[in-house]
Amino acid sequence: MVPHLITALTGPINELEQRMLESMPAIERWFRLEWMEHTPPFYTSVDLRNAGFKLAPVDTNLYPGGFNNLTAEMIPLAVQAAMAAIEKICPEAKNLLLIPEKHTRNTFYLANVARLMQIFGSAGLNVRLGTLDETITEPTELPLPDGSTLTLEPLVRTKRRLGLKHFDPCTILVNNDLSAGIPPVLENLHEQYLLPPLHAGWAVRRKSQHFSAYEEVAKKFAKLLGMDPWLINPMYAVCEGVNFQEGAGLDALQAQVDAMLNKVRRKYKEYGINEKPFVIVKADNGTYGMGIMTVRDAKELVDLNRRTRNKMSVVKDGQEVTRVIIQEGVPTYERLNDAVAEPVVYMIDRYVVGGFYRVHAERGIDENLNAPGSSFVPLAFAEPAHLPRPGVKPGVSAPNRFYMYGVIARLAMLAAAYELEATDPNAEVYA
């Protein structure tokens, strides 16, 4: 199912789609050369927004949940990609320890964990679940919506290794974004592969670092295609020293928001876009759609109500917000059954394995859709992502639209690879 774009401004996006299809051999070669130099994150999901005049990533997750939203047809692709990833990291791997989030009673999230176990089990690994929840001291069964169960086990840490009772893994896969900090039990594991690395977690990672890396990637890619990088890149700025509860730093934030809105206005004027620009202000770290607000006029920041202040002051695990990113708002003009939709693309290693549309009937084109009330409609990437149809009129073919999504998502994944290299605490050892 392909959503329809409800905007007359589809010319630029159709032109972008056309250019990508015509440049497909050059694009794929460019990616191959980049992956010779850079290591892709182990798994990634990317939220995209299609405005009809620009297509850009707005969030890149290095601990993706939501694998349960991929269709059964996508699983063989995911298994194949998982095999490739594991072979590259630890060819002799036999046992995989999967460490999920601690909020393990959420059945949707548990279905995601079960799907990850299925993918890596089908890739030929013994997969077991270890929990960071110290209140779990013996194997504990958790029910799943389909009637099956998952068994969570307490972690067993020795001086140099981490495992479970009678289970010694070669590889540890973390599906917990470490918002609350890096647990000591995961530190100093020099004999095992810990994926993703600890500095990929929100205890260390910053969205601004990611979008700085993405800007670099977008410029390189735009040069390859002979286009304006703005068409695929959301502009951003950073504001520090903000305290929403006390109202501190809001003058500086207001000035930054005003400056960003003016930059967007100039771009809209350049392209003849008759839209009202907006920005998204969000915590520079964190996930789950927390600590995010849409601002259409800098004056809105003068009298924030208590509810907004509370919403913006903390993110997941009660982490206080003091630094925010001001991101150019990219409206989404895609609709599924009259509800606003945005594509989310999933990758394992450097391969696109599937995705879905996040759909929200109660949210507007300029709002965050990752919120209670959203639903998911799968994208059938299995055939389309790798088999676009050159020569078909742009804007009408699902495979061509999905190929374009896959390219932009891979650019964001490549940016994450740049970002992880730049923030690697051990990098100087190898320099």
Side-chain angles (χ1 to χ4, degrees):
M1 186 185 279
V2 189
H4 54 285
L5 272 166
I6 53 139
T7 170
L9 295 164
T10 54
I13 216 73
N14 287 348
E15 194 183 310
L16 182 62
E17 182 184 302
Q18 189 68 40
R19 194 172 292 195
M20 283 191 187
L21 290 168
E22 288 167 358
S23 309
M24 193 177 154
I27 290 170
E28 296 306 324
R29 177 178 182 272
W30 183 81
F31 272 121
R32 282 196 302 274
L33 294 174
E34 286 288 335
W35 294 130
M36 285 170 72
E37 298 286 326
H38 306 281
T39 303
F42 188 77
Y43 53 4
T44 317
S45 71
V46 178
D47 296 359
L48 302 174
R49 304 276 286 211
N50 187 351
F53 56 85
K54 109 180 251 174
L55 172 67
V58 292
D59 207 14
T60 301
N61 192 349
L62 301 182
Y63 296 86
F67 277 92
N68 52 308
N69 295 315
L70 304 185
T71 61
E73 292 81 10
M74 298 174 192
I75 301 309
L77 263 184
V79 170
Q80 216 172 358
M83 282 178 168
I86 291 291
E87 267 172 38
K88 205 162 63 177
I89 293 156
C90 182
E92 69 279 11
K94 186 172 65 174
N95 295 334
L96 176 80
L97 174 62
L98 178 58
I99 299 179
E101 291 280 0
K102 281 166 80 170
H103 62 73
T104 43
R105 304 293 164 180
N106 179 327
T107 53
F108 294 110
Y109 177 72
L110 290 176
N112 157 71
V113 173
R115 177 55 64 79
L116 282 169
M117 292 185 77
Q118 178 196 357
I119 289 168
F120 289 100
S122 300
L125 295 166
N126 301 315
V127 188
R128 281 166 65 177
L129 291 179
T131 180
L132 292 166
D133 187 344
E134 291 169 358
T135 63
I136 293 180
T137 55
E138 55 188 50
T140 303
E141 289 202 346
L142 300 176
L144 290 171
D146 65 1
S148 61
T149 58
L150 287 177
T151 304
L152 272 182
E153 299 180 65
L155 295 169
V156 175
R157 175 68 200 250
T158 60
K159 190 176 180 187
R160 301 184 68 83
R161 296 181 75 83
L162 179 65
L164 307 173
K165 192 176 179 182
H166 308 310
F167 186 75
D168 185 26
C170 150
T171 306
I172 298 158
L173 179 61
V174 181
N175 195 243
N176 177 320
D177 62 26
L178 309 181
S179 290
I182 296 171
V185 75
L186 296 179
E187 294 181 327
N188 302 313
L189 291 170
H190 302 302
E191 295 179 356
Q192 292 161 297
Y193 294 95
L194 183 69
L195 304 166
L198 292 176
H199 66 284
W202 286 122
V204 178
R205 190 176 176 229
R206 295 294 175 265
K207 292 177 184 177
S208 51
Q209 289 168 333
H210 175 74
F211 283 102
S212 171
Y214 183 78
E215 193 170 1
E216 186 185 341
V217 167
K219 281 177 181 168
K220 284 186 182 179
F221 184 78
K223 191 176 177 187
L224 176 78
L225 262 63
M227 58 182 263
D228 180 353
W230 178 75
L231 295 171
I232 56 170
N233 181 33
M235 296 185 287
Y236 77 98
V238 178
C239 189
E240 297 191 65
V242 179
N243 185 317
F244 284 97
Q245 287 287 20
E246 295 173 9
L250 293 187
D251 288 350
L253 178 60
Q254 196 178 342
Q256 292 251 42
V257 165
D258 204 36
M260 181 59 69
L261 286 168
N262 282 328
K263 280 172 84 171
V264 179
R265 270 186 211 103
R266 285 196 292 275
K267 273 306 205 184
Y268 281 12
K269 192 175 178 186
E270 181 187 333
Y271 281 91
I273 296 161
N274 189 22
E275 295 279 321
K276 185 172 170 60
F278 65 98
V279 298
I280 301 293
V281 175
K282 53 187 172 183
D284 201 16
N285 63 326
T287 182
Y288 282 90
M290 297 173 80
I292 296 179
M293 66 191 287
T294 300
V295 183
R296 300 165 190 88
D297 186 322
K299 293 191 187 78
E300 293 169 26
L301 294 165
V302 177
D303 297 313
L304 291 180
N305 61 36
R306 183 182 295 171
R307 187 171 170 222
T308 304
R309 286 175 190 268
N310 290 343
K311 185 184 85 166
M312 292 300 295
S313 60
V314 291
V315 289
K316 188 177 164 228
D317 293 326
Q319 298 300 301
E320 199 175 314
V321 175
T322 58
R323 178 181 160 114
V324 294
I325 179 171
I326 299 124
Q327 191 177 62
E328 172 194 352
V330 182
T332 178
Y333 278 107
E334 294 189 280
R335 283 282 197 284
L336 265 177
N337 306 328
D338 294 328
V340 176
E342 67 184 8
V344 185
V345 179
Y346 277 66
M347 291 156 288
I348 294 177
D349 195 60
R350 58 195 177 96
Y351 306 103
V352 172
V353 299
F356 52 82
Y357 279 101
R358 184 184 284 122
V359 182
H360 206 305
E362 291 158 30
R363 291 282 168 122
I365 59 168
D366 59 357
E367 292 182 291
N368 168 41
L369 304 189
N370 187 5
S374 60
S375 57
F376 307 99
V377 178
L379 289 173
F381 264 103
E383 173 256 341
H386 302 288
L387 296 173
R389 297 171 189 159
V392 175
K393 186 181 166 194
V396 296
S397 163
N400 292 352
R401 172 86 65 88
F402 296 158
Y403 176 72
M404 181 170 63
Y405 290 165
V407 168
I408 301 298
R410 284 185 288 162
L411 292 176
M413 174 172 57
L414 179 59
Y418 281 34
E419 172 199 355
L420 290 178
E421 284 168 20
T423 56
D424 185 350
N426 303 313
E428 62 274 7
V429 177
Y430 308 112

